[in-house]
Amino acid sequence: MAASKKAVWGPLVGAVDQGTSSTRFLVFNSKTAELLSHHQVEIKQEFPREGWVEQDPKEILHSVYECIEKTCEKLGQLNIDISNIKAIGVSNQRETTVVWDKITGEPLYNAVVWLDLRTQSTVESLSKRIPGNNNFVKSKTGLPLSTYFSAVKLHWLLDNVRKVQKAVEDKRALFGTIDSWLIWSLTGGVSGGVHCTDVTNASRTMLFNIHSLEWDKQLCDFFGIPMEILPNVRSSSEIYGLMKAGALEGVPISGCLGDQSAALVGQMCFQIGEAKNTYGTGCFLLCNTGHKCVFSDHGLLTTVAYKLGRDKPVYYALEGSVAIAGAVVRWLRDNLGIIKTSEEIEKLAKEVGTSYGCYFVPAFSGLYAPYWEPSARGIICGLTQFTNKCHIAFAALEAVCFQTREILDAMNRDCGIPLSHLQVDGGMTSNKILMQLQADILCIPVVKPSMPETTALGAAMAAGAAEGVNVWSLEPEDLSAVTMERFEPQINAEESEIRYSTWKKAVMKSMGWVTTQSPESGDPSIFCSLPLGFFIVSSMIMLIGARYISGVP
C-alpha cells in the first residue's frame, strides 16, 4: 500500500520562543497566521544565593532542539510536510546575560537572568560616577541604571568569574543575550556560528546607543566592557544564517526580536499610539511611538520596538516593566504549595471573588516601573483570621492588575492621549478572572486575541517577511484579521479607585526593606539590615500559615 501523501499547507514559518519559564517551538501558516503545532519544555531556574537567579545555557539550547524535533514529529502525525517550513524566527527573554568560549562552545558561567539582583552594589557605585547634569547613560540608552540590564551583569561576570576573565584575556570570550547564544549555536557554533543580535535585544544591554543604532564606546568604557566580545547588531528581519543540525537543517534563521517587541509585532501594533501588555513571568506594556524616541517623565523606559529589514526604518516604544506577574503564581505553587498547578489559581480566586481586604505586593526583585526601587520587597498585608489561601490567590491576581494600572497611568501621562482599550497577550491571559479584574481596575475594555501566542507569531512574521524569504507580507491589507475576546469593566470607577489607592498604600509599605545590600558576597548581614517589622511579620505568617493559608477555618 502506497504511503499517504503529505498535506501541502503552503509556506510555513517556525518560531523559537525562549522565555524565562519555558522554551517553545511553534509553526504557523504564513498566509493565514494559523498555529499548526507546537511543543513546550519548562526551564529550571537556579537560586544559588538570596537575590541571585541563574539558568543553564546548555539546558536552554537543548530545550530548543527538543522543541523543534518534537514539533516536527507532531507535524508529521498531522500529515504536514516539514519541508514547507521556509524560515525560523527567534524570540527570547531579554537582558539575560551569557558569556561563552568560542573555541570550545562551552558557557563560562550560568546565564545571569534579568531578574537577578546581585549587581545592586555595582549599580550604586556606578551611579555615583554619572554627572547629575548629564545622565549620558539614560540619554543614550533610554534606560535607568538598574540591575535589570545586561551591562551590569556582564560587568559583574568580568569582575568575579576567573574563567570569564581568562577567556577575555585570551580573546576567546563571546557575550550575548539569549538570542545571540541560540543563533550562534544553531548556525554552527564553533564551526562558523554567526555571532549577532538584533536592535531590540541590543537596546536592552545598556551598551547600545538607540539613536545611532551602534554599540557605544563611551558606555562600554563606563561599564568596563571590551567591545570585541559584543555581537554584530542586525535588523530584526534578515537572514542571519542557516540551521546546521536537526530536522530543520538548512532552513534560514531570519527573524530575531526580544520577546516584548515580538509581541508588539504579533499584536500588529504598527501605528503610533497602539499598545499591548504581555503577561508572562513579568508584565510588559509597550506603546509604539513611531520613528521618534519619547523620553518618559514618569518612570517608563525608551526602547527600540523593531526594525523589520536592513533598509527599513527603526521604530521606538515606551515600555513599562513589571518584574513579577506570572512568577507570583509560580511562587504560590513552588514556595507556598497552596496550588499544585498554575491553572488552579483561577479556581481558588473564583471561590471567594474577593481578596477580603488582603493586598499582595510581589516585589521579590524590587520594584521596576514606575518606581525603580531596588530596596522594595514582597509583602502581604491586610491579613485577618478570616484570610485563607483563596483570598491570597485573589490578591495575587489583583497585584498583577494593579501593577499594570500603574504603568498605564504613567504611559497616559507621557503620551498625553489615554488608551481607549488595552490589547493583551501571554500565558496568563487564559485566566478569565484575571482578564475581568484587569478591565475592572483599568476602567477600560481589555481585548485579547483568540490566538494568544503573539510573541511567537511576531518572531514568525519577522522571519517570513525577511528579504530572501518573502513568504509573509506585512502590508496592512494582507495581514490576517484576528478574532478578539473583549472584557468590559463591570464595577464602577469609584470602587476601582478605592481598591487602587489602597494598593498604592501597600506599595509604599513594601519600600525600604533592604537598607544595606551586599548580594555579591552573599553577606549574611543583609538580614541584620532589615527592620524589626520584617521579623514580626515573618513570625506571624509562620504561626498562622499552617492553619489559614491551607484554608482551614
Side-chain angles (χ1 to χ4, degrees):
M1 185 176 174
S4 60
K5 191 176 177 183
K6 294 281 186 185
V8 178
W9 282 80
L12 309 180
V13 180
V16 173
D17 181 7
Q18 204 299 296
T20 318
S21 303
S22 69
T23 298
R24 297 181 301 162
F25 185 69
L26 306 91
V27 174
F28 297 90
N29 184 322
S30 66
K31 300 303 179 190
T32 64
E34 178 190 359
L35 175 61
L36 300 180
S37 188
H38 76 283
H39 189 77
Q40 179 169 347
V41 172
E42 192 163 308
I43 298 293
K44 289 179 195 153
Q45 293 178 42
E46 299 175 25
F47 307 96
R49 294 186 188 177
E50 176 71 24
W52 293 30
V53 190
E54 299 179 359
Q55 291 178 323
D56 180 353
K58 290 174 78 172
E59 182 194 349
I60 290 173
L61 178 60
H62 292 154
S63 72
V64 170
Y65 278 120
E66 181 181 346
C67 287
I68 290 173
E69 297 301 314
K70 296 286 188 186
T71 303
C72 288
E73 287 174 18
K74 290 176 182 179
L75 289 170
Q77 292 162 7
L78 293 169
N79 218 28
I80 297 171
D81 192 338
I82 62 171
S83 68
N84 285 318
I85 298 175
K86 304 302 181 187
I88 295 168
V90 174
S91 158
N92 58 285
Q93 52 170 308
R94 303 170 303 170
E95 299 95 18
T96 297
T97 298
V98 187
V99 182
W100 67 96
D101 187 319
K102 66 182 175 184
I103 306 301
T104 65
E106 291 293 311
L108 296 164
Y109 191 80
N110 270 345
V112 181
V113 177
W114 57 277
L115 283 164
D116 189 279
L117 287 174
R118 76 186 67 186
T119 54
Q120 185 51 43
S121 64
T122 305
V123 167
E124 287 165 6
S125 62
L126 286 170
S127 66
K128 291 171 186 168
R129 292 169 43 202
I130 299 176
N133 60 349
N134 176 26
N135 188 341
F136 66 92
V137 174
K138 187 166 185 183
S139 64
K140 288 185 178 208
T141 67
L143 310 173
L145 191 56
S146 166
T147 59
Y148 185 10
F149 307 107
S150 310
V152 288
K153 302 178 194 301
L154 183 51
H155 180 99
W156 185 92
L157 289 168
L158 289 165
D159 273 0
N160 292 278
V161 181
R162 181 58 194 149
K163 282 172 73 175
V164 172
Q165 296 163 354
K166 184 78 166 61
V168 170
E169 290 162 11
D170 295 345
K171 309 293 185 190
R172 299 191 332 266
L174 296 178
F175 153 78
T177 41
I178 293 295
D179 58 304
S180 298
W181 163 245
L182 292 180
I183 292 172
W184 183 83
S185 301
L186 296 172
T187 57
V190 296
S191 304
V194 178
H195 187 216
C196 70
T197 188
D198 89 301
V199 289
T200 68
N201 282 295
S203 76
R204 311 297 293 193
T205 61
M206 212 171 232
L207 301 169
F208 185 72
N209 188 315
I210 61 174
H211 310 286
S212 66
L213 302 183
E214 294 175 330
W215 298 121
D216 189 284
K217 187 173 187 313
Q218 184 186 12
L219 290 169
C220 289
D221 288 346
F222 177 71
F223 288 106
I225 308 302
M227 293 186 77
E228 62 268 20
I229 72 173
L230 303 178
N232 293 318
V233 182
R234 312 275 283 271
S235 78
S236 308
S237 178
E238 59 179 275
I239 295 174
Y240 313 111
L242 306 181
M243 287 283 290
K244 287 293 166 65
L248 299 181
E249 186 175 352
V251 176
I253 299 174
S254 53
C256 179
L257 290 151
D259 51 10
Q260 304 314 318
S261 288
L264 194 75
V265 171
Q267 286 268 31
M268 299 171 204
C269 295
F270 295 128
Q271 302 302 312
I272 295 174
E274 291 184 333
K276 68 88 206 171
N277 196 31
T278 298
Y279 299 75
T281 298
C283 220
F284 303 90
L285 204 163
L286 268 69
C287 180
N288 189 331
T289 63
H291 306 309
K292 182 182 175 187
C293 282
V294 175
F295 283 85
S296 172
D297 295 320
H298 302 97
L300 303 181
L301 311 178
T302 304
T303 197
V304 176
Y306 52 83
K307 186 178 188 294
L308 296 174
R310 272 180 291 194
D311 303 321
K312 297 293 174 66
V314 64
Y315 280 75
Y316 296 95
L318 270 177
E319 174 177 333
S321 312
V322 169
I324 303 294
V328 75
V329 180
R330 192 168 177 163
W331 182 83
L332 290 174
R333 184 193 73 186
D334 296 345
N335 292 39
L336 288 194
I338 68 172
I339 51 175
K340 289 190 174 67
T341 66
S342 297
E343 292 72 29
E344 278 181 44
I345 193 169
E346 183 172 8
K347 183 184 171 193
L348 284 186
K350 192 173 183 179
E351 277 184 36
V352 286
T354 175
S355 68
Y356 199 75
C358 171
Y359 286 83
F360 194 158
V361 183
F364 302 154
S365 296
L367 289 168
Y368 285 8
Y371 302 101
W372 298 104
E373 182 48 72
S375 74
R377 285 296 178 271
I379 63 168
I380 304 174
C381 55
L383 297 173
T384 71
Q385 287 191 322
F386 183 72
T387 308
N388 66 29
K389 64 181 180 180
C390 299
H391 300 116
I392 291 173
F394 194 96
L397 295 182
E398 270 194 322
V400 175
C401 301
F402 286 133
Q403 290 178 107
T404 298
R405 164 79 186 264
E406 289 187 302
I407 290 172
L408 196 70
D409 284 357
M411 202 161 274
N412 286 340
R413 288 195 293 271
D414 280 323
C415 295
I417 304 169
L419 290 181
S420 60
H421 66 276
L422 181 65
Q423 289 176 230
V424 300
D425 59 76
M428 289 188 83
T429 61
S430 61
N431 186 322
K432 292 186 183 296
I433 297 279
L434 177 72
M435 292 295 93
Q436 186 57 57
L437 271 174
Q438 189 66 89
D440 291 344
I441 288 164
L442 295 180
C443 302
I444 58 172
V446 167
V447 180
K448 173 193 162 189
S450 56
M451 198 287 292
E453 305 294 353
T454 52
T455 302
L457 177 61
M461 290 166 67
E467 185 180 349
V469 178
N470 303 115
V471 298
W472 204 307
S473 171
L474 298 183
E475 296 301 320
E477 62 272 16
D478 296 329
L479 292 171
S480 303
V482 180
T483 56
M484 299 284 189
E485 186 176 2
R486 194 176 175 95
F487 295 84
E488 299 283 350
Q490 292 182 354
I491 65 173
N492 62 51
E494 186 180 356
E495 183 187 341
S496 175
E497 208 58 45
I498 291 168
R499 284 157 65 177
Y500 182 49
S501 63
T502 311
W503 153 263
K504 299 276 275 188
K505 199 161 93 176
V507 170
M508 292 301 113
K509 292 182 185 300
S510 77
M511 294 187 191
W513 287 101
V514 180
T515 53
T516 305
Q517 191 169 30
S518 181
E520 278 95 339
S521 62
D523 186 351
S525 67
I526 183 172
F527 299 106
C528 301
S529 69
L530 298 176
L532 178 61
F534 171 86
F535 298 103
I536 294 171
V537 171
S538 299
S539 300
M540 287 174 65
I541 289 175
M542 288 171 69
L543 286 168
I544 68 168
R547 185 171 179 189
Y548 294 107
I549 290 177
S550 64
V552 177

